[in-house]
Amino acid sequence: MTSPIPESAIDRDQRIGLQRIRDFLKVRTSYDVLPLSFRLIIFDTSLLVKKSLTILTQNGIVSAPLWDSKTSTFAGLLTTSDYINLIQYYWQNPDAVNRIDQFKLNSLRDVERAIGVSPLETASIHPLKPLYEACRRMLETRARRIPLVDIDDETGRPMVVSVVTQYRILKFVAVNVHETQYLRKPLRHLKLGTYKDLVTANMETTVFELIHKLVNYNISSVPILNSDGVVTNVFEAVDVITLIKGANYDELNLNVGEALQKRPDEFPGIYTCSIDDRLDTIFDTIRKSRVHRFVVIDEDSRLVGVLTLSDILEYILLEGEGDDSKTE
């Protein structure tokens, strides 16, 4: 009978770091993540899509909870994916383009069924539930954000309190859990990120082509490469919102290079890392900057892979979770 391989110091630190993060998430609630002051915009499902788009861009947000005033119930979460699905729908049904200004939010489910994509995000969680449960719910539903829905004491009806995003949760962890510094194993030794069958484009690719890629592969961004495979930028789903904010759908015929020039001045830029970077340094970046993904590149800035916040959240929640044989 062979003896078990002794646990290395770096493996032990990695395990302890992950356990400390999970312990922290289990004793904190979603309420704890919210800032002291925040603004919440909720859309009624009878609102015109055109008006909802204007409100989002005027307020600098990319999602909003939906409310069905007829039934006084939470009706899901409106995200950039819903607008992209709508564009895909009109591309497949050009005769319907002249009705786009009359389209309402309560018709989005019809759009989803018509083009065969995932339905509107309807997952939610009570704000006093452990943050760990909110994270698990997001992983189960593949949602990047989750609304917090409470029950009004006087009416007994649900009410939307806020929306918590993956970024806000991971930053909360980065700020409050010292043991993220224990996560010193490089990405190349972790099953973390996507490194095969990567969807890419170049500066001459049209925005319409990119929208098809976003929908067909169910992704939120596409790395932009030059002829040498060097990463020059990343096109994100939110870039589509910038283009159509004035209901000028002709902008979708632009190529990527032209479209990216229309980004707002406050665009945070893209973040890169190497296959030899570690999660402790990645958490440090999340703590300091508003990051939604990391493009993994080599020493010549050529594309290697993509690391999303979903990948990181899944890793810190599930990696080695079933292994209870080791103790500190």
Side-chain angles (χ1 to χ4, degrees):
M1 184 175 179
T2 58
S3 301
I5 300 175
E7 187 179 25
S8 66
I10 192 171
D11 283 337
R12 178 180 181 274
D13 283 350
Q14 193 86 2
R15 174 175 55 81
I16 293 173
L18 292 174
Q19 190 58 55
R20 291 289 185 269
I21 292 172
R22 292 167 191 167
D23 291 344
F24 174 78
L25 292 172
K26 289 175 181 178
V27 298
R28 305 303 290 267
T29 71
S30 297
Y31 258 137
D32 296 330
V33 183
L34 301 181
L36 293 176
S37 176
F38 63 89
R39 174 181 54 186
L40 178 64
I41 295 175
I42 301 176
F43 291 152
D44 191 285
T45 54
S46 63
L47 185 69
L48 290 171
V49 169
K50 180 180 178 180
K51 289 186 177 180
S52 71
L53 186 59
T54 300
I55 295 171
L56 286 183
T57 54
Q58 286 179 344
N59 290 276
I61 56 178
V62 296
S63 67
L66 297 177
W67 185 260
D68 188 333
S69 57
K70 292 182 179 179
T71 59
S72 295
T73 55
F74 167 66
L77 188 68
L78 180 71
T79 69
T80 53
S81 296
D82 298 304
Y83 294 101
I84 290 174
N85 290 340
L86 186 59
I87 293 169
Q88 181 83 340
Y89 171 78
Y90 281 113
W91 180 81
Q92 295 178 5
N93 302 273
D95 293 341
V97 171
N98 57 359
R99 301 197 305 271
I100 195 167
D101 288 345
Q102 286 75 46
F103 211 84
K104 295 183 178 181
L105 296 177
N106 54 20
S107 300
L108 288 175
R109 292 191 184 279
D110 297 330
V111 169
E112 296 154 3
R113 283 192 291 268
I115 64 175
V117 298
S118 301
L120 195 70
E121 294 178 12
T122 57
S124 66
I125 196 163
H126 192 281
L128 291 181
K129 290 285 187 180
L131 196 52
Y132 183 84
E133 290 188 29
C135 295
R136 291 299 294 255
R137 185 74 59 84
M138 280 194 282
L139 290 183
E140 291 166 2
T141 60
R142 297 178 59 85
R144 300 180 184 92
R145 50 183 60 79
I146 188 167
L148 308 182
V149 180
D150 203 345
I151 300 297
D152 190 288
D153 291 335
E154 295 183 0
T155 65
R157 292 179 173 177
M159 61 178 183
V160 182
V161 176
S162 188
V163 176
V164 173
T165 64
Q166 290 177 343
Y167 165 73
R168 189 171 288 279
I169 291 172
L170 290 174
K171 181 174 182 177
F172 189 60
V173 168
V175 169
N176 293 285
V177 183
H178 171 76
E179 287 83 359
T180 55
Q181 298 178 23
Y182 289 10
L183 305 178
R184 295 193 290 267
K185 294 182 74 171
L187 291 179
R188 69 167 62 248
H189 297 316
L190 305 175
K191 296 178 181 178
L192 190 56
T194 301
Y195 301 92
K196 295 181 179 179
D197 302 321
L198 296 169
V199 180
T200 64
N202 58 57
M203 285 294 187
E204 299 305 315
T205 306
T206 67
V207 174
F208 256 128
E209 290 178 75
L210 275 186
I211 288 175
H212 300 330
K213 291 176 184 287
L214 294 174
V215 173
N216 294 336
Y217 293 96
N218 191 26
I219 52 179
S220 61
S221 66
V222 177
I224 307 302
L225 314 182
N226 67 13
S227 57
D228 296 320
V230 172
V231 178
T232 59
N233 218 313
V234 176
F235 187 90
E236 303 179 359
V238 294
D239 289 317
V240 176
I241 303 301
T242 301
L243 293 176
I244 64 173
K245 63 182 180 181
N248 184 9
Y249 295 92
D250 290 338
E251 299 277 71
L252 300 175
N253 293 313
L254 297 176
N255 63 36
V256 169
E258 295 166 331
L260 294 181
Q261 291 179 8
K262 296 181 178 294
R263 276 178 169 165
D265 294 337
E266 61 271 18
F267 179 75
I270 65 172
Y271 290 84
T272 62
C273 66
S274 80
I275 200 73
D276 292 313
D277 278 332
R278 311 175 314 194
L279 269 186
D280 61 340
T281 59
I282 287 172
F283 265 108
D284 193 47
T285 301
I286 292 173
R287 179 175 60 83
K288 297 175 181 177
S289 309
R290 190 171 186 83
V291 187
H292 296 293
R293 66 191 58 79
F294 293 85
V295 181
V296 186
I297 57 176
D298 64 15
E299 61 275 9
D300 297 315
S301 297
R302 288 190 296 262
L303 180 66
V304 174
V306 176
L307 176 65
T308 68
L309 298 190
S310 296
D311 296 328
I312 298 172
L313 190 63
E314 182 174 2
Y315 178 80
I316 65 174
L317 259 66
L318 303 183
E319 174 63 22
E321 185 185 37
D323 187 359
D324 298 324
S325 61
K326 296 187 179 80
T327 56
E328 291 180 33

